[in-house]
Amino acid sequence: MIEEITLQGEDQKNLAYIVETSLRVQQRSHFFSWVQGPLQTLLPHEILICALRHTPDSDMYTERFSATRYFRDEHFRAVCKPVDGLLAHMIDRWDISGQPCMLPVVEAQPGITSCESHWADQLHTLELRNVAAHGVRAADGGVKAFFSFSRVSAPLGTQIAHSLSILTPCIFTTFSRMLAEERYTGNALCNPAINMVKPLRPREIEILEWVREGKSNNEIAQILELSPHTVKNHIQKIMSKLNVRTRVQAVTRAISLGIIRHNQR
């Protein structure tokens, strides 16, 4: 167990926000927005693969929630290939250690299982870049669920491992509730990968933050030392990526996805 790492300050507030907002998740679209929004504050990533075993004797049921167009169906099938796929390998490693798994291999650290380096070659081929994963045990001690995060933008180490240890039970509960609600209502929606949001560039996020502050194109241009025409083009690209038609909708959408924060003033 990781005992020397604790969440501090803003991370504690982020954890409370993640747990509180998880209670609102009832549908697949809610889960995708929650994963791409609040959860990003402690586990910044682009790809989440969820694996769940409904009964002790059943195969793992898998789904993906992706915000990148590069991770396609063929990559997902290869990752989830039974027996010799990367996901099966990591689940086996986790079943032995019970500790978060990381790829590429990190230096030996308490509470982290480093998977064999020969699997690291597949990270590029499968468009994953990296993996940080953790699981949940069933009452009989078997593997009940497993959650694999890829394209993690934070350094893989004890902090991410600690966040995984804290958040995985919440992710499991939220994912299970979403599936149960779908089963009860018969309202299973399409895979959210088709509704993915194209990532914003740092300059676009910066401009969007100034839009949130109520600044006009001319004011943003002066602040950032750009031409008003350039700012206008950036905003048009932002609205296209977020699939909205107005500046206000762009800000609202970005806040809901965790791309920018509410104005705290």
Side-chain angles (χ1 to χ4, degrees):
M1 296 296 293
I2 303 172
E3 299 179 353
E4 70 278 9
I5 301 294
T6 58
L7 297 182
Q8 302 290 334
E10 192 68 21
D11 284 343
Q12 291 181 334
K13 295 179 182 179
N14 290 334
L15 174 60
Y17 182 59
I18 290 169
V19 174
E20 183 177 15
T21 53
S22 73
L23 300 177
R24 306 171 192 166
V25 174
Q26 300 293 331
Q27 300 176 9
R28 191 172 301 262
S29 59
H30 300 163
F31 184 80
F32 183 56
S33 294
W34 179 70
V35 166
Q36 289 299 314
L39 198 63
Q40 294 285 333
T41 58
L42 292 183
L43 285 173
H45 69 282
E46 294 184 23
I47 301 167
L48 168 61
I49 297 176
C50 303
L52 179 68
R53 180 168 282 122
H54 293 294
T55 66
D57 297 327
S58 66
D59 294 330
M60 278 286 189
Y61 167 78
T62 57
E63 288 203 31
R64 84 181 194 269
F65 297 85
S66 173
T68 175
R69 68 182 185 276
Y70 299 109
F71 187 67
R72 299 188 295 271
D73 288 343
E74 57 266 32
H75 299 133
F76 177 62
R77 289 193 295 268
V79 171
C80 299
K81 190 176 180 181
V83 181
D84 58 352
L86 178 58
L87 186 68
H89 168 74
M90 297 193 76
I91 290 174
D92 287 343
R93 296 294 297 166
W94 181 85
D95 193 20
I96 295 171
S97 70
Q99 301 293 344
C101 299
M102 303 287 187
L103 271 177
V105 175
V106 298
E107 295 181 3
Q109 299 181 53
I112 300 178
T113 296
S114 297
C115 295
E116 287 84 348
S117 58
H118 70 270
W119 284 99
D121 294 337
Q122 292 203 24
L123 296 178
H124 175 72
T125 303
L126 298 175
E127 295 290 349
L128 295 173
R129 294 186 183 173
N130 58 26
V131 174
H134 201 17
V136 174
R137 291 199 184 278
D140 63 0
V143 180
K144 177 65 177 177
F146 195 75
F147 301 94
S148 174
F149 296 85
S150 292
R151 295 193 175 217
V152 178
S153 58
L156 298 188
T158 54
Q159 191 65 49
I160 286 294
H162 187 58
S163 295
L164 278 170
S165 298
I166 293 173
L167 291 172
T168 296
C170 179
I171 298 168
F172 165 66
T173 300
T174 306
F175 182 64
S176 299
R177 182 174 63 249
M178 180 269 290
L179 292 177
E181 183 68 17
E182 283 188 351
R183 191 175 300 113
Y184 177 74
T185 62
N187 190 31
L189 302 179
C190 61
N191 192 309
I194 66 174
N195 298 319
M196 57 192 170
V197 174
K198 295 179 181 178
L200 300 186
R201 297 179 181 275
R203 175 64 87 181
E204 292 170 339
I205 294 174
E206 185 178 20
I207 289 174
L208 192 55
E209 288 173 337
W210 285 115
V211 173
R212 178 198 59 197
E213 299 297 320
K215 301 296 184 181
S216 67
N217 287 4
N218 288 338
E219 289 173 326
I220 296 172
Q222 291 178 357
I223 293 169
L224 300 180
E225 298 182 348
L226 301 171
S227 72
H229 179 71
T230 298
V231 172
K232 180 181 178 181
N233 286 340
H234 277 304
I235 292 177
Q236 288 177 340
K237 290 179 181 179
I238 291 168
M239 291 190 295
S240 176
K241 288 182 177 182
L242 296 178
N243 194 28
V244 298
R245 290 187 289 182
T246 69
R247 295 158 65 100
V248 173
Q249 290 174 345
V251 170
T252 302
R253 176 75 165 148
I255 291 174
S256 71
L257 293 175
I259 297 172
I260 62 175
R261 291 182 176 273
H262 283 285
N263 189 334
Q264 299 296 323
R265 295 186 300 176

